[in-house]
Amino acid sequence: MKIVMSLYPAPEGGASPDLLGCAENALGLRDWLEGEGHQVVSTSVREGDELTELLQDAEVLITTPFWPVYASREVLEAAPKLELVLTAGVGSDHIDLKAAAERGLLVAEQTGSNVVSVAEHAVMQLLALVRNYVPAYQQVVDGRWDIGEIAARSWDLERKTVGIYGAGAIGQLIAIRLKAFDVETLYYKRTRLEHPEEAVIGARYARLDEMQERCDAIVITAPLTPETERLFDREVLTGMKKGSWLVNVARGRIVDTDALVEALESGQLGGYAGDVWYPEPAPADHPWRRMPHQMLTPHVSGTTLDAQRRYATDTRHCLEAYLAGQPLEKDHVIVSDGEIVGGAYKAAFS
């Protein structure tokens, strides 16, 4: 069996053994798979003719949200032997799920593998925005010392109102982490939590319109679906409190690219932090790279060394089940038997 892994390139000079998620280390699965007689092709190629050629006789494709193969209908059609697509990480929106279902492919991801990693990153970025951290750091690098310039855009997080749009596992953990900062937390989730669950995370249910009106900051943690694509458009951003902050650790396409630039340039938003872009990797001329008051990172929140161990282990478990002809654990499965069955994706596409 041929297994193609499209993973991010190793850093210059090579990768340490701990950097499991890079192409050089192949999720730490190469020795096991080759020892079982399978062909493993681990590459950083993620598009174009070279990828198409690699996939022509592949039965399994493994990709990640951080260095995604955009598995469109055309890409899937160019892989006639493909049976299984695995996301080493969380979020399979880079795959045409309808096309995969029509084709009868099995699609799965590593549910829960990076919940802690992304939640911590979101809280870090929210604090960086509120305290105006990155410009302060840049002053040090530049040899400057202008206290007023930094303090003019620096606040305490305490007693602010924070909205979490998309309170799944990551959003709920963010709410729990924020309890220590004595903030008021609102959340939105397609299926409202039970009252005891709300008490545990310390958040109250609210729809987006109430968040726009009341929140000093909104953190987006919702999956990308037809319902959420470009949800944060010009109208929504204009409806937010003037000077409020927006953090997006979900998917770049949930926020309208040009509308966000306008909101920051006009001062409607006080700042934007995020870890996700569209497309990814973001081109050098992406407008978000040049917009004011942004504290963006490349898509790294869910691929800490700890998270890489978790999603590499879970990927192996999925492969073990598949190779043994056994069903995958249900909470990993996104598409199966011609249907989209995974959580939010199922609801959005139904």
Side-chain angles (χ1 to χ4, degrees):
M1 179 186 302
K2 182 178 178 181
I3 300 168
V4 174
M5 301 185 186
S6 179
L7 306 171
Y8 62 82
E12 236 178 277
S16 73
D18 292 329
L19 202 64
L20 295 173
C22 71
E24 181 178 322
N25 288 334
L27 299 172
L29 303 180
R30 187 191 302 277
D31 289 346
W32 163 60
L33 287 168
E34 291 182 343
E36 295 291 321
H38 303 294
Q39 179 188 2
V40 176
V41 178
S42 183
T43 177
S44 59
V45 172
R46 44 176 292 277
E47 60 186 353
D49 293 341
E50 189 174 351
L51 176 68
T52 300
E53 185 175 343
L54 289 174
L55 291 177
Q56 280 180 352
D57 56 349
E59 186 170 323
V60 178
L61 168 64
I62 300 173
T63 181
T64 77
F66 325 108
W67 185 260
V69 169
Y70 287 105
S72 64
R73 183 178 295 271
E74 292 72 26
V75 169
L76 296 177
E77 287 175 349
K81 295 184 178 180
L82 195 64
E83 296 288 341
L84 171 64
V85 181
L86 287 176
T87 297
V90 178
S92 295
D93 48 87
H94 53 282
I95 301 163
D96 187 327
L97 299 180
K98 282 188 174 181
E102 291 169 12
R103 167 81 174 275
L105 298 181
L106 178 60
V107 179
E109 61 183 46
Q110 311 321 315
T111 306
S113 61
N114 57 16
V115 169
V116 171
S117 311
V118 177
E120 289 183 354
H121 196 94
V123 174
M124 175 186 72
Q125 289 197 306
L126 176 60
L127 284 168
L129 278 179
V130 173
R131 299 304 296 266
N132 205 23
Y133 173 79
V134 173
Y137 166 77
Q138 192 61 47
Q139 276 199 12
V140 173
V141 173
D142 295 342
R144 301 175 57 222
W145 193 284
D146 188 338
I147 304 300
E149 179 182 88
I150 303 304
R153 301 184 64 88
S154 179
W155 304 79
D156 293 337
L157 184 57
E158 184 182 41
R159 298 188 183 278
K160 301 297 187 294
T161 300
V162 179
I164 298 173
Y165 189 87
I170 292 171
Q172 291 176 48
L173 188 55
I174 291 170
I176 291 171
R177 295 289 191 263
L178 287 176
K179 289 171 73 172
F181 291 94
D182 194 21
V183 299
E184 179 185 10
T185 306
L186 308 180
Y187 81 92
Y188 174 78
K189 189 175 184 291
R190 177 189 278 270
T191 303
R192 182 173 178 172
L193 298 172
E194 299 291 337
H195 289 305
E197 295 173 308
E198 292 180 343
V200 168
I201 70 171
R204 182 177 65 78
Y205 178 82
R207 294 182 176 86
L208 182 56
D209 56 353
E210 184 179 352
M211 288 188 186
Q212 289 174 276
E213 179 183 348
R214 300 196 55 232
C215 287
D216 301 292
I218 294 177
V219 182
I220 305 171
T221 58
L224 176 64
T225 67
E227 180 182 347
T228 61
E229 185 170 0
R230 293 186 177 84
L231 174 63
F232 282 75
D233 57 11
R234 185 172 288 103
E235 181 179 354
V236 168
L237 296 178
T238 301
M240 290 174 62
K241 287 178 66 173
K242 186 174 178 63
S244 58
W245 302 282
L246 186 62
V247 177
N248 181 10
V249 290
R251 287 295 183 265
R253 276 192 290 174
I254 294 177
V255 178
D256 183 279
T257 298
D258 295 332
L260 177 62
V261 176
E262 293 171 11
L264 288 168
E265 289 179 343
S266 70
Q268 169 59 26
L269 287 184
Y272 178 82
D275 185 55
V276 286
W277 306 65
Y278 184 77
E280 292 187 358
D285 62 350
H286 196 293
W288 286 3
R289 293 181 183 269
R290 302 184 304 276
M291 62 189 181
H293 311 305
Q294 60 88 358
M295 299 183 193
L296 279 153
T297 54
H299 197 165
V300 296
S301 66
T303 192
T304 63
L305 296 179
D306 296 301
Q308 287 182 51
R309 284 195 295 271
R310 290 190 292 266
Y311 68 66
T313 298
D314 285 353
T315 298
R316 174 165 179 158
H317 288 161
C318 287
L319 286 171
E320 286 174 336
Y322 174 76
L323 295 173
Q326 298 173 351
L328 277 60
E329 294 177 1
K330 286 185 178 179
D331 62 346
H332 291 274
V333 178
I334 305 300
V335 177
S336 179
D337 297 325
E339 295 184 7
I340 299 172
V341 297
Y345 297 110
K346 178 181 180 180
F349 283 96
S350 61

